[in-house]
Amino acid sequence: MGDRSACDRQAVFDEYTRARRIFHALLDDATPADLALPTRGTRWTNGQLLWHMLFGYLVTRVLLGLVRVFSRVPQSVSKGFAGVLNAGTRPFDVINYLGPCGAVKVLGPRRMGIAFDWITGSLERQLAKESEHDLARGMHYPVRWDPFFQDFMTLADLYRYPTRHFDFHHRQLTFGERR
């Protein structure tokens, strides 16, 4: 990320299609016991981590909106905003952990699949409408919040972000591994 070159829209569309296929395969094959298994390297269960993977796409819509605002003001404003968010990393981490714990109980696997299709479709439609000029707009991000956030990210970077987040967490799932 952080590449200021033109966005390869087709590559992003292909990434979203691949993620949708994987997400639905995981949901379709998951038993309640699979969803309750602990994951590798997190305190979440498989079901909770699946919700967190979906959340990466949901939060991208919010991040795209922030770029549209912060890219119109001096960079020092977004740098200051990112600094404030970095200072609030501990409360963010608690909320980031607890959110999936409750959300997975509300949505459940079927609704998570529907939400995944809706959000990736929404992001695809938005990306198709973006101008090259807009895709080059960016802002500073709180790098302590997520390993895939860079100090400065463009809209083009953000469209790639959720699938990178998804792929990272996909490797932490433990479906079929009985402990």
Side-chain angles (χ1 to χ4, degrees):
M1 290 197 276
D3 180 12
R4 304 300 178 257
S5 62
C7 178
D8 183 349
R9 294 169 204 252
Q10 189 57 53
V12 175
F13 296 149
D14 292 347
E15 288 174 357
Y16 289 2
T17 298
R18 177 182 54 80
R20 262 195 307 274
R21 181 181 40 78
I22 292 168
F23 197 77
H24 281 284
L26 290 166
L27 291 175
D28 291 347
D29 294 342
T31 66
D34 286 327
L35 294 171
L37 284 172
T39 56
R40 257 183 240 99
T42 81
R43 295 184 299 162
W44 288 315
T45 65
N46 282 328
Q48 293 163 343
L49 186 55
L50 281 171
W51 191 92
H52 179 75
M53 292 161 67
L54 162 62
F55 185 71
Y57 289 89
L58 293 169
V59 77
T60 298
R61 281 183 54 103
V62 174
L63 297 174
L64 292 169
L66 286 175
V67 169
R68 293 180 205 300
V69 172
F70 280 101
S71 66
R72 288 181 162 79
V73 299
Q75 281 193 22
S76 60
V77 175
S78 74
K79 193 170 195 97
F81 181 69
V84 168
L85 294 179
N86 270 328
T89 298
R90 282 187 188 218
F92 167 79
D93 286 344
V94 171
I95 293 166
N96 190 41
Y97 169 72
L98 292 175
C101 295
V104 72
K105 293 177 184 178
V106 174
L107 280 186
R110 188 180 76 71
R111 285 193 227 138
M112 282 196 302
I114 292 167
F116 200 90
D117 292 346
W118 174 81
I119 190 59
T120 54
S122 172
L123 290 170
E124 288 169 336
R125 288 186 297 278
Q126 185 64 41
L127 175 56
K129 294 188 260 182
E130 300 282 8
S131 71
E132 289 301 319
H133 173 76
D134 285 343
L135 287 169
R137 293 169 49 177
M139 67 176 277
H140 291 276
Y141 280 83
V143 295
R144 293 178 56 201
W145 280 34
D146 191 284
F148 300 102
F149 284 173
Q150 300 299 311
D151 176 54
F152 187 89
M153 294 172 65
T154 65
L155 281 180
D157 296 327
L158 281 175
Y159 280 108
R160 302 299 292 265
Y161 161 77
T163 305
R164 289 181 172 141
H165 177 265
F166 178 95
D167 289 341
F168 173 80
H169 288 302
H170 180 222
R171 293 186 291 274
Q172 295 177 309
L173 294 168
T174 59
F175 285 89
E177 297 177 17
R178 300 291 177 231
R179 294 180 182 191

